[in-house]
Amino acid sequence: MLTAFTARPLVELKSRDKSKIEALLTYGNRLLVGLSTGVLRVYRINEQAGNSDGTSPNEVDAEASSQPTVELLREVEKFSRRAVEQLAMIKEANILISLSDGYVSMHDLQDENYGLREQLLKTKGASTFAVTSNIIKDPSSGIPSIVSRLAVAVKRKLLLWSWHDTELSSSAVEVTLSAPARTLTWATGTNLVCGLNSGYVVVNVENREVLNILSSGGVGASGGQDEGRFGNFGAAGMGYVGMGNWVPKPLATTLTDGELLLAKDVNTLFVDQDFKPLDRRQIQWITAPDAIAFSYPYLLALQGPSRGVLEVRNPKTLSLLQSIVMPNAGRMHVPQPNVSLAHAGKGFLVASSRCLWRMTAESYDSQIGQLLEKGLLDEAISLMDMLEDPLLENKQERLREIKMQKAENLFQRRRYRAALDLFTEVSAPPERVIRLYPRVVAGDLASGDEPTVGKPAMESAVAQHEADGEAIAKSEEPVQEEKENIKEQEETESKAALEKTPSKASKGEQTVESQNSSRATTTTSLGVPSEDVLQGKDLKAALSELYSFLADTRRRLQILVEPDGSLRPAAQTGNIDKDAEKRTMLQNLVPNHRSLEEVDIEQSLRDILKLVDTTLFRAYMVERPSLAGSLFRIANFCDPDVVQEKLLETGRYEDLVDFLHGKRLHRQALELLRRFGQSTESEEAPTALRGPRRTVAYLQTLPPDFIDLILEFARWPLETDPGLGMEVFTADTENAENLPREKVLRFLQDIHSMLAVTYLEHIIHELNDLTPDFHQRLVNLYLEGLMHHDASEQEGVDGQLDVQEWREKLLSFLKSSNQYSTGRTFNLLPKDGAFFLSCWHDSPTLIPADPNFYEARAIVLSKMGNHKQALEIYVFKLEDHAKAEEYCNHIHLTQESETKQGASIQEKFSNEEASKSIYHTLLSLYLTPPAPYQPDWSAALNILSKHGSRLPASSILNLIPSSLPLQSLQSYFRGRLRAGTSTMNEGRILRGLCSSEHERLRAALIIGDELHENLATRNRSVVISEERVCRVCHKRLGRSVISVFPDNSVVHYGCANRVAQQA
């Protein structure tokens, strides 16, 4: 399947050599081999220089085969009396550690013969040991130092030594375990995993706490899936038939991200950095491995000498990637560190009792290429995720491309949701995704033949099923899916699967396919549908997932593009280079892998948006036509030709109108609305579009820039329904308020003057328009309507003209408005409106005319300041004394409000006596009217009784004839006296109040009061003693000029300014 490692023999014992290889250790270019005879052989490894000199890899391999790769330097004959079981070193302390004859010994690493420094007598009966070195900061000083630790398992005891830099710390620490430790593995610099026959424990070497990971009861005290993985294989559990009570060693190895793999017999369990079990499936081993290890980035398992097979697995997917036959191999040595980038390419050692191999890794680029050639996309993605960026060329780009290939593969296998989610994850170019759909969705992007499902993925699907099985679960896929695929994984990862037996893969695939009962089409033994064309339920399922992808693409593009298609500031050339995230996003969206420097960014983004929105519209029309309208109500870049053709074909005219409005194709939309709006019931047209209402609503949305278009298409609604049509210009909208009013007014007046009146009333009364020309034109239209109120002329708009209502509107407007021209208005009013001479009588007679314009003339004269002429109209022509009196009241209040507020009472009284008020004018008209009118004593006396206080006696008494009885003037004099007395009393009260206020302030200045205690300046005093100093300069005041502040603080007169500045 994959060639990740190549086995190269380094050392092979000669046939006459009766010793066996027992222990291995490498450091630098040295290789130490411990033999069963107690001899230590020291080799030097000759590293190949590669092809740096220009030679090809084949030439290097040829040279390597002709010369040895290792060189025996020496043999240490008396290194140990018995077999060397284990070797390790602490480089910082220059110590070589060995296990032999049940003792752990320390040797000098710098000595050529590795002389014995010390044999640890406490380790008598030791079965295994483990060393580790880590950089740890001192908790008190924070200074980092290298801390090395040695752990030795001696029966049920665990002995611990530690070195800080090169110095050995205090004596050994002893920890008692519940059972003998058979294996030791350092999980971290302070946590040691001990494999017991009954399970696993973790020892914290700092506080000596022992945590039970796995026991005969499972994980902790809980039951469940993990309870049976290790519970039946303890020392008291089932033995192996024919092998006594032999139990496989509990194995453990560290992985990336702080994870650990625990293996006992054929059962495995993954735990996290807190030593809690992870919900991951087991590795399906046929027999228990003799050793497991992790060599970045692979998980290694060495089967026993009986099989002699080295298995290389992906630690995330647990897939078997390579099986290397190594006869009788039983030992494995992986140099540290084995879980990081520092280990990449260093390889590891595998040994049998007679031979030692070095495993050299192929380049990671070539490994990825091999997986892609075999169609193992999941494995390639998983491997690239684990590898660091420097180890691969263009890692991110290649990983993205592989994920897109996987998404296409999933799409062809009808896993639409997974496919589109993966496309979204990698920000795939929309063009690439849309090509997967048929012409009804993809349009011109679709190929000549309709896209098929299943056939393009046949070969890759077969390879994937035969090699790894459909159920190989990715680490980031949901756990539930991983559990469902365990059974299928067990069937496909056996030895038969390695030999590519298709029957099991077919069986596993049929199991998965049989669960998908909702699928309409039949499937073959490989799960490939017999119905290839994407249609029916498959098309709908694929489209439902396409919506989210296109919506996510639109969201990302809107960050860079304005609704009108222009680039936002963040996407412009000068700014896009500063934002790596946006530049990467933009680069991913550009098709054909072209660089941003080769394309017009703005045009390219518009093309992508056009493709996305048009495809989204097509997809909606296939499955959910009702959602197409929601797309048109927002800023979109749909192709107008495609949209119009499709909507007209399906008869979705309302959506078409919304689309044309969004694309600013207003003339086409309004012509369509007019065609349907003017249609009769016999013609086929949408009910919602009949009549002018939809056209009016559309015109209301247009801004003032389209005034010509608005006026052109507003004519037919005004002619059909004037009340509804006027809403275009009188609606409470910003567009209607900002229309050019002069142009609108001319347009409405050409249709009918009544429409112009309605519009003028709206802009004057509702919008408070103070343009004099508009006010004057409204007056003119009112007058024109009143003078030509023949019903036949007004019929056809609002029916017969209501003359009384118009007269009231005219009078009200003449009173309220101050913007029209009083001179022009007065000239427009009929001059003979008061009376005219009737020619239909025998003798000329004055006959009252139509009084429509009497009051209007009076109001205009009032605006012009001709109050006497206005009152003459009220008194003599209208003969309405109440209105005359009301007019006088209004004028009096207006004049009174304009009087200065600061004038004294005496001034007001004297002005009132001196000037003649409006009431005096009215009274003079009653008492001395012009010819041919007669005096009206009753009206005059009524005015005197009501408003006598406002009429000065000096001017009134001259108007009253001497023949008038004095008794009739009683009410007048009573009112005048009351007014004079009231004014006098008001003056007295005001004088008293002012005097009281004066006295209060005078007393406050002298003695102060509760509210103004600081005002008592005339009665205040301060004492200046010899010791009193200035609070500013802190010098004695003495006899200097001083300044006293309201708080009685005293400073020098020259320091007073400094106090003010500080405040």
Side-chain angles (χ1 to χ4, degrees):
M1 293 175 60
L2 173 67
T3 305
F5 296 98
T6 302
R8 299 182 181 275
L10 286 182
V11 177
E12 187 173 359
L13 300 182
K14 297 180 180 180
S15 58
R16 63 175 179 271
D17 191 347
K18 303 300 181 182
S19 60
K20 298 179 181 179
I21 299 175
E22 297 289 343
L24 305 173
L25 177 64
T26 60
Y27 67 97
N29 63 345
R30 293 292 188 269
L31 169 61
L32 305 182
V33 179
L35 302 179
S36 58
T37 57
V39 176
L40 179 68
R41 291 183 180 179
V42 183
Y43 295 88
R44 180 172 62 194
I45 303 176
N46 299 319
E47 299 288 350
Q48 296 297 325
N51 55 353
S52 59
D53 56 351
T55 59
S56 64
N58 295 333
E59 293 174 350
V60 174
D61 293 342
E63 294 175 3
S65 62
S66 62
Q67 59 184 358
T69 57
V70 293
E71 177 183 355
L72 178 62
L73 296 180
R74 70 186 69 85
E75 287 189 3
V76 182
E77 296 287 346
K78 297 182 180 180
F79 185 78
S80 175
R81 292 180 301 175
R82 296 185 180 274
V84 181
E85 301 176 15
Q86 190 175 354
L87 293 172
M89 71 170 182
I90 299 177
K91 182 178 180 181
E92 292 72 24
N94 293 319
I95 295 176
L96 174 66
I97 300 176
S98 66
L99 172 62
S100 178
D101 195 18
Y103 286 93
V104 174
S105 304
M106 294 188 293
H107 306 264
D108 189 352
L109 192 62
Q110 293 182 334
D111 186 3
E112 291 185 356
N113 295 321
Y114 304 103
L116 179 66
R117 281 191 181 183
E118 180 182 2
Q119 188 178 57
L120 302 177
L121 300 179
K122 290 185 178 181
T123 62
K124 181 180 180 181
S127 58
T128 184
F129 70 87
V131 298
T132 184
S133 296
N134 301 274
I135 299 177
I136 299 177
K137 286 186 178 181
D138 185 86
S140 58
S141 64
I143 300 175
S145 61
I146 300 177
V147 178
S148 302
R149 288 188 171 91
L150 167 65
V152 181
V154 181
K155 298 181 181 180
R156 294 180 57 186
K157 293 187 297 181
L158 184 66
L159 302 178
L160 301 170
W161 285 268
S162 62
W163 285 261
H164 289 270
D165 292 330
T166 60
E167 297 181 1
L168 179 64
S169 60
S170 58
S171 59
V173 177
E174 183 176 322
V175 179
T176 302
L177 303 178
S178 60
R182 301 189 61 188
T183 59
L184 300 177
T185 305
W186 286 99
T188 63
T190 58
N191 291 321
L192 179 67
V193 177
C194 304
L196 316 178
N197 284 335
S198 58
Y200 291 86
V201 296
V202 176
V203 178
N204 188 315
V205 297
E206 291 183 337
N207 53 26
R208 306 181 191 179
E209 290 184 356
V210 180
L211 173 66
N212 188 16
I213 301 180
L214 294 171
S215 63
S216 59
V219 182
S222 62
Q225 175 184 351
D226 298 315
E227 184 174 353
R229 291 194 182 182
F230 302 97
N232 295 330
F233 295 93
M238 181 186 69
Y240 281 70
V241 178
M243 301 179 65
N245 288 330
W246 179 83
V247 178
K249 288 196 303 182
L251 305 176
T253 184
T254 56
L255 305 175
T256 57
D257 301 327
E259 294 183 3
L260 270 81
L261 171 63
L262 309 179
K264 192 173 184 182
D265 196 66
V266 295
N267 300 288
T268 59
L269 182 69
F270 292 88
V271 296
D272 59 14
Q273 56 188 359
D274 296 325
F275 309 104
K276 295 181 179 180
L278 298 174
D279 194 3
R280 296 179 60 183
R281 60 189 177 88
Q282 298 192 54
I283 301 176
Q284 300 303 313
W285 282 317
I286 298 177
T287 59
D290 278 5
I292 61 173
F294 181 80
S295 178
Y296 181 85
Y298 296 110
L299 175 63
L300 309 174
L302 183 62
Q303 300 294 339
S306 60
R307 295 192 61 202
V309 176
L310 176 65
E311 295 182 355
V312 180
R313 291 179 180 269
N314 186 324
K316 297 296 183 182
T317 65
L318 306 184
S319 305
L320 179 61
L321 299 179
Q322 185 180 8
S323 295
I324 306 174
V325 177
M326 311 186 75
N328 301 321
R331 295 169 182 81
M332 183 165 46
H333 171 69
V334 180
Q336 299 293 326
N338 63 334
V339 294
S340 66
L341 179 61
H343 179 71
K346 285 190 175 181
F348 56 94
L349 301 177
V350 178
S352 64
S353 60
R354 307 290 298 174
C355 185
L356 187 149
W357 294 271
R358 184 181 186 184
M359 310 303 295
T360 58
E362 298 291 331
S363 68
Y364 295 117
D365 290 313
S366 65
Q367 294 181 36
I368 298 297
Q370 294 178 45
L371 293 173
L372 294 179
E373 289 178 1
K374 299 179 181 298
L376 303 178
L377 302 180
D378 284 341
E379 300 301 328
I381 293 172
S382 177
L383 179 59
M384 295 185 74
D385 285 336
M386 291 186 292
L387 293 173
E388 302 289 342
D389 291 352
L391 298 179
L392 292 172
E393 183 179 358
N394 298 327
K395 174 187 172 180
Q396 298 302 327
E397 296 180 7
R398 294 180 62 187
L399 179 60
R400 178 170 176 265
E401 177 62 28
I402 295 173
K403 287 185 177 181
M404 286 192 288
Q405 292 179 14
K406 177 188 175 182
E408 291 175 351
N409 194 355
L410 292 172
F411 189 91
Q412 299 298 341
R413 289 155 55 194
R414 304 195 178 189
R415 297 179 59 184
Y416 304 118
R417 173 169 295 183
L420 271 297
D421 287 347
L422 192 54
F423 277 130
T424 302
E425 176 189 337
V426 300
S427 300
E431 180 180 345
R432 183 165 183 172
V433 179
I434 295 170
R435 288 183 186 275
L436 300 174
Y437 287 82
R439 183 174 297 276
V440 67
V441 176
D444 296 337
L445 285 180
S447 58
D449 299 331
E450 288 294 314
T452 58
V453 179
K455 286 186 177 179
M458 174 73 76
E459 296 181 0
S460 60
V462 171
Q464 187 80 355
H465 298 332
E466 292 179 350
D468 295 316
E470 177 65 13
I472 294 180
K474 296 185 350 179
S475 61
E476 57 271 357
E477 288 182 345
V479 176
Q480 183 63 29
E481 181 180 355
E482 194 171 327
K483 289 181 178 179
E484 292 176 356
N485 294 333
I486 287 178
K487 181 179 180 180
E488 186 179 352
Q489 179 70 17
E490 292 174 353
E491 297 176 354
T492 57
E493 282 199 343
S494 61
K495 183 176 180 180
L498 293 173
E499 299 174 355
K500 297 188 177 180
T501 304
S503 58
K504 289 189 177 181
S506 175
K507 178 180 178 181
E509 182 62 19
Q510 287 177 351
T511 303
V512 175
E513 294 297 335
S514 63
Q515 296 174 357
N516 191 2
S517 59
S518 61
R519 185 168 298 174
T521 58
T522 58
T523 56
T524 63
S525 60
L526 288 173
V528 178
S530 60
E531 189 175 331
D532 299 325
V533 179
L534 187 61
Q535 60 184 0
K537 292 184 178 180
D538 288 326
L539 178 58
K540 290 185 178 181
L543 289 178
S544 63
E545 304 302 330
L546 180 64
Y547 299 143
S548 58
F549 171 78
L550 296 177
D552 181 76
T553 304
R554 292 187 87 254
R555 177 188 58 79
R556 288 184 282 112
L557 288 172
Q558 287 173 355
I559 302 176
L560 306 174
V561 183
E562 298 283 358
D564 60 354
S566 60
L567 289 178
R568 293 185 185 271
Q572 294 176 359
T573 305
N575 298 329
I576 196 67
D577 296 333
K578 301 177 183 178
D579 195 330
E581 181 180 356
K582 288 187 174 62
R583 181 177 177 85
T584 302
M585 179 180 67
L586 187 58
Q587 180 66 62
N588 292 340
L589 293 173
V590 175
N592 303 326
H593 303 285
R594 292 181 295 173
S595 64
L596 297 181
E597 289 74 13
E598 299 176 359
V599 298
D600 183 353
I601 296 179
E602 185 172 349
Q603 183 60 41
S604 179
L605 287 176
R606 278 200 296 265
D607 293 342
I608 295 173
L609 278 168
K610 181 179 180 180
L611 175 63
V612 169
D613 287 352
T614 304
T615 305
L616 186 58
F617 163 73
R618 287 194 178 107
Y620 280 150
M621 294 304 295
V622 171
E623 184 186 8
R624 304 175 184 175
S626 59
L627 295 181
S630 61
L631 178 63
F632 303 147
R633 298 185 188 99
I634 60 177
N636 64 85
F637 295 82
C638 294
D639 189 343
D641 296 335
V642 174
V643 174
Q644 291 188 59
E645 178 184 357
K646 195 68 177 178
L647 292 179
L648 288 174
E649 177 184 344
T650 56
R652 304 188 67 84
Y653 302 109
E654 293 188 51
D655 291 340
L656 179 57
V657 171
D658 292 337
F659 171 74
L660 294 174
H661 180 270
K663 303 303 289 184
R664 301 175 69 87
L665 301 174
H666 303 303
R667 178 170 293 277
Q668 298 181 30
L670 288 170
E671 288 176 351
L672 183 67
L673 289 174
R674 181 169 60 183
R675 177 162 64 91
F676 288 121
Q678 295 178 342
S679 62
T680 61
E681 296 183 358
S682 60
E683 299 177 358
E684 294 184 2
T687 305
L689 299 183
R690 284 180 178 172
R693 184 170 298 278
R694 190 67 175 85
T695 301
V696 170
Y698 190 98
L699 292 174
Q700 288 176 341
T701 62
L702 297 182
D705 299 339
F706 296 91
I707 181 61
D708 294 333
L709 195 65
I710 293 173
L711 298 181
E712 177 183 351
F713 286 93
R715 181 175 291 273
W716 79 268
L718 288 170
E719 295 173 350
T720 304
D721 188 347
L724 180 61
M726 282 301 297
E727 293 184 5
V728 176
F729 310 104
T730 61
D732 187 15
T733 61
E734 184 179 358
N735 291 335
E737 294 178 6
N738 295 328
L739 290 175
R741 296 171 183 175
E742 180 63 33
K743 200 168 187 177
V744 173
L745 184 58
R746 289 199 305 268
F747 167 75
L748 295 175
Q749 197 162 2
D750 291 342
I751 299 177
H752 202 283
S753 59
M754 293 287 290
L755 300 177
V757 170
T758 303
Y759 183 69
L760 286 171
E761 290 176 345
H762 171 72
I763 63 175
I764 292 174
H765 300 318
E766 300 294 335
L767 305 182
N768 196 26
D769 193 321
L770 300 179
T771 305
D773 184 57
F774 291 155
H775 287 248
Q776 185 62 48
R777 292 172 74 171
L778 181 57
V779 172
N780 297 347
L781 290 173
Y782 280 147
L783 293 174
E784 181 182 351
L786 288 173
M787 288 187 291
H788 305 87
H789 59 272
D790 188 5
S792 61
E793 296 180 5
Q794 305 299 334
E795 197 74 34
V797 180
D798 278 336
Q800 187 173 357
L801 176 66
D802 190 345
V803 178
Q804 182 64 25
E805 180 182 356
W806 271 53
R807 191 173 74 86
E808 292 177 358
K809 285 184 178 180
L810 172 62
L811 297 179
S812 176
F813 183 70
L814 290 176
K815 291 179 182 179
S816 61
S817 176
N818 295 320
Q819 304 301 321
Y820 61 89
S821 173
T822 55
R824 291 177 57 187
T825 304
F826 186 76
N827 293 332
L828 290 175
L829 292 171
K831 295 182 179 179
D832 58 343
F835 295 91
F836 68 91
L837 187 63
S838 176
C839 301
W840 287 273
H841 292 73
D842 296 336
S843 60
T845 306
L846 284 174
I847 300 177
D850 185 2
N852 284 342
F853 303 107
Y854 290 161
E855 191 171 356
R857 290 173 62 86
I859 294 173
V860 174
L861 288 171
S862 175
K863 292 284 186 180
M864 298 171 67
N866 299 329
H867 301 300
K868 184 176 181 180
Q869 297 181 26
L871 286 173
E872 287 179 352
I873 294 175
Y874 285 116
V875 173
F876 302 123
K877 296 180 180 180
L878 291 177
E879 297 181 356
D880 191 339
H881 301 300
K883 286 189 176 181
E885 183 180 355
E886 182 182 354
Y887 176 81
C888 291
N889 292 337
H890 173 72
I891 297 301
H892 175 77
L893 293 175
T894 303
Q895 292 176 348
E896 191 177 50
S897 64
E898 294 175 355
T899 305
K900 294 182 179 180
Q901 298 294 330
S904 63
I905 296 179
Q906 291 79 3
E907 291 176 349
K908 292 182 181 180
F909 188 77
S910 61
N911 292 337
E912 185 178 340
E913 290 289 340
S915 61
K916 293 182 179 181
S917 65
I918 189 65
Y919 297 102
H920 182 277
T921 304
L922 178 59
L923 185 62
S924 63
L925 290 177
Y926 284 143
L927 296 177
T928 57
Y933 303 104
Q934 299 296 325
D936 190 346
W937 298 106
S938 61
L941 292 175
N942 183 45
I943 292 297
L944 287 173
S945 64
K946 289 184 177 179
H947 306 285
S949 61
R950 299 171 181 173
L951 294 170
S954 58
S955 59
I956 294 301
L957 294 177
N958 295 331
L959 297 176
I960 299 175
S962 58
S963 60
L964 185 67
L966 188 60
Q967 184 178 2
S968 61
L969 297 175
Q970 180 181 359
S971 60
Y972 166 71
F973 288 113
R974 184 182 293 114
R976 283 302 299 172
L977 290 173
R978 286 177 178 174
T981 304
S982 173
T983 303
M984 182 179 62
N985 292 337
E986 182 180 352
R988 289 177 178 175
I989 293 172
L990 182 60
R991 183 179 62 183
L993 291 175
C994 291
S995 176
S996 176
E997 180 67 13
H998 173 72
E999 293 298 329
R1000 189 189 63 79
L1001 290 175
R1002 184 167 170 266
L1005 289 173
I1006 295 175
I1007 61 175
D1009 56 15
E1010 295 180 357
L1011 298 177
H1012 306 87
E1013 57 182 7
N1014 293 331
L1015 291 179
T1017 55
R1018 298 179 181 177
N1019 199 34
R1020 281 197 305 148
S1021 63
V1022 292
V1023 178
I1024 306 300
S1025 62
E1026 292 294 334
E1027 293 80 12
R1028 190 160 186 173
V1029 297
C1030 174
R1031 71 172 187 176
V1032 177
C1033 63
H1034 304 290
K1035 296 180 180 179
R1036 288 194 303 170
L1037 295 173
R1039 296 181 178 273
S1040 303
V1041 181
I1042 62 174
S1043 294
V1044 181
F1045 288 90
D1047 59 351
N1048 288 337
S1049 61
V1050 183
V1051 298
H1052 288 109
Y1053 181 77
C1055 298
N1057 293 333
R1058 297 171 60 183
V1059 175
Q1061 293 175 0
Q1062 294 176 0

